[in-house]
Amino acid sequence: EAQVTQNPRYLITVTGKKLTVTCSQNMNHEYMSWYRQDPGLGLRQIYYSMNVEVTDKGDVPEGYKVSRKEKRNFPLILESPSPNQTSLYFCASRRIGYGYTFGSGTRLTVV
Amino acid sequence: GQQLNQSPQSMFIQEGEDVSMNCTSSSIFNTWLWYKQDPGEGPVLLIALYKAGELTSNGRLTAQFGITRKDSFLNISASIPSDVGIYFCAGQLRDYGGSQGNLIFGKGTKLSVKP
């Protein structure tokens, strides 16, 4: 089944403890992206990648890192999470010129 | 920056009713997308529109790409309980060179069942 898989679905962590949210797609899509969704603010792009080893900042990149060492994987790294990064995170992938397919989301709480 | 105005923000439906929602922008887009998000899940692509004036259906859903390329609407005919959720429009610019075409999301239309 064609899909974007992200893990974990739920995560509670403490301020400052590094964490990684994994994302994998099996559709050979060139583009991958991370979004965060917050009430009243909608979906905001954090980082995106156009292909292996090619990444760029989205609208809200501060406090996040990404890497794209393989085409299928695009992990999101929070080196020192803070409470304002508590949010619902979505990974997404797409072919050039087409719309994004989203994962099921990761609900992150930073205490 | 670019913004999409999606309306209505919320609406209540009774089973069997037709539903309409729309998105407008001051900017021109090359692609319009409509997504639905169920609670606790990621947005799911319903309809993608790639050409001005295009009218596309997906079952009971119909969407149109406005002729000015600055707007789009989504209609749901004969609504059923599982239509409840949040619907997002998104306008996308063309991918070019080594850069992604910017993708802008509306704030969503929340569809609920009338009590």
Side-chain angles (χ1 to χ4, degrees), chain B residues 4-5 24 27-28 45-46 52 58-59 66 80 82 85 88 91 98 107 109:
Chain B
L4 290 187
N5 298 310
T24 59
S27 304
I28 289 173
L45 184 62
L46 300 173
N58 177 6
I80 59 178
S82 62
F88 291 97
K107 293 279 170 62
T109 295

Side-chain angles (χ1 to χ4, degrees), chain A residues 10-27:
Chain A
Y10 301 92
L11 179 59
I12 300 175
T13 190
V14 296
T15 299
K17 186 176 179 185
K18 180 179 177 179
L19 67 91
T20 299
V21 184
T22 64
C23 174
S24 179
Q25 51 97 1
N26 62 359
M27 297 166 280

